[in-house]
C-alpha cells in the first residue's frame, strides 16, 4: 500500500488529498500525514482480508 502511495505522489495525489482533508483538521497536514493515513488504511485492509484460508 505504501508503494501505491509513493507512486501516486508522482501525480500529486498526495497534495490533492491533503487539500481536501485540511479544512476538517486543526493542524497543518504534511506529506508525512499522507503516508501514515495510507499505511493505516493498508493495515486495516490487511487485518480484514481473507488471506488466511
Amino acid at each position: 500500500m505504501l508503494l501505491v502511495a509513493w507512486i501516486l505522489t508522482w501525480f500529486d495525489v498526495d497534495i490533492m488529498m491533503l487539500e481536501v482533508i485540511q479544512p476538517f483538521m486543526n493542524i497543518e497536514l504534511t506529506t508525512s500525514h499522507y503516508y501514515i493515513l495510507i499505511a493505516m488504511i493498508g493495515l486495516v485492509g490487511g487485518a480484514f482480508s481473507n488471506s488466511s484460508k
Side-chain angles (χ1 to χ4, degrees):
M1 193 73 175
L2 287 177
L3 179 63
V4 172
W6 179 62
I7 292 171
L8 289 175
T9 59
W10 296 345
F11 303 102
D12 293 331
V13 173
D14 58 332
I15 296 170
M16 288 186 274
M17 284 184 63
L18 293 174
E19 285 179 0
V20 169
I21 297 170
Q22 185 63 55
F24 303 108
M25 304 301 263
N26 293 331
I27 60 171
E28 174 95 23
L29 296 176
T30 64
T31 53
S32 297
H33 294 103
Y34 167 75
Y35 283 116
I36 290 171
L37 175 67
I38 296 298
M40 291 178 74
I41 291 171
L43 286 172
V44 170
F48 291 111
S49 71
N50 211 6
S51 63
S52 61
K53 290 183 179 180

